[in-house]
Amino acid sequence: MNEKTALVLIDLQKESNFGIDRMEEVVNNSKQIIEECRASNIPIIYTRQINRFDGIGLSKEEPLNEDGTPYYYNSNSDQIEIFDQIKPEDHDVVIDKYRWSAFHATSLDLMLRNLGVTDLLIGGVVTDGCLMTSVFDAYFRDYHIHLVEDMCAATNEGAHMSALATMGNWVYNLKLYNTENMVKKLKGEPHSYWEANEADSLQFTPETLREHYKKMTQY
């Protein structure tokens, strides 16, 4: 990848209340990508979703425990911490956020532009929530999107597939990889990826969603 690339990892935190599908695989794949990015001196940026334990700044109707504290990403718990296997190093950037998109009311765009970044290598959770809203906001800010599909996950397969297909339809510069092909790209080796040949090319229905998903992920 070019020298204007950064790796952005969305919410790879210990929060367990979601029951995210394939989380162990996501962490292992992220570890591979992180190692390759470090070897290539590509900046690494982590985001953390935070919900203040005292309720200040929570989204409307945010799920709460019986005692009124946030059910997810409680700032008074270790659930907000990045997984130990892929924890940030001192020179990495960590962005705390209070809404789904990593760009909403954060310094992420400032950091990326200060680094001269034009291309985002991105993955994280959940595919249909914080990851997808961050991808759309990155696209709206004119970044080129390189999404690593198996570095993303949702609470169920249908949500993951439909979110990928939605991004594939409407993020016109999106390129979709798996970990194996992204590692090859980072090493400067021949690799494969999926990209749409026109807008709204994946006109999926509940019955055809899996078929379109297979097309996207057969590199």
Side-chain angles (χ1 to χ4, degrees), residues 1 63 70 96 112 118 138 140-141 148 169 174 182 205 219:
M1 310 215 33
D96 286 345
L112 292 170
T118 59
F140 298 153
R141 289 163 174 78
V148 184
N169 275 336
L174 181 140
M182 178 51 70
T205 66
Y219 304 98

Side-chain angles (χ1 to χ4, degrees), residues 81-158:
E81 302 301 335
I82 305 296
F83 283 103
D84 293 337
Q85 306 94 302
I86 53 172
K87 63 183 180 181
E89 296 186 356
D90 289 343
H91 55 278
D92 296 329
V93 177
V94 179
I95 304 287
D96 286 345
K97 61 189 183 68
Y98 297 86
R99 292 294 185 270
W100 289 3
S101 171
F103 288 90
H104 181 80
T106 74
S107 61
L108 178 56
D109 190 48
L110 173 67
M111 297 295 178
L112 292 170
R113 296 194 185 283
N114 183 262
L115 289 166
V117 169
T118 59
D119 288 60
L120 298 188
L121 195 174
I122 192 168
V125 300
V126 291
T127 317
D128 55 328
C130 295
L131 185 280
M132 183 164 68
T133 54
S134 298
V135 166
F136 274 113
D137 275 357
Y139 177 62
F140 298 153
R141 289 163 174 78
D142 296 330
Y143 292 103
H144 299 285
I145 310 299
H146 305 267
L147 178 60
V148 184
E149 178 268 332
D150 56 358
M151 204 167 72
C152 306
T155 58
N156 62 85
E157 187 182 25

Side-chain angles (χ1 to χ4, degrees), residues 174-214:
L174 181 140
K175 294 181 179 178
L176 188 69
Y177 309 75
N178 61 10
T179 296
E180 179 183 0
N181 279 288
M182 178 51 70
V183 168
K184 289 179 179 178
K185 180 177 178 65
L186 290 167
K187 290 178 178 289
E189 299 174 358
H191 60 278
S192 300
Y193 58 87
W194 177 90
E195 63 180 340
N197 53 16
E198 61 181 345
D200 198 20
S201 63
L202 303 169
Q203 296 193 4
F204 59 90
T205 66
E207 294 75 24
T208 64
L209 177 57
R210 187 176 298 279
E211 175 186 346
H212 286 294
Y213 175 73
K214 287 182 178 179

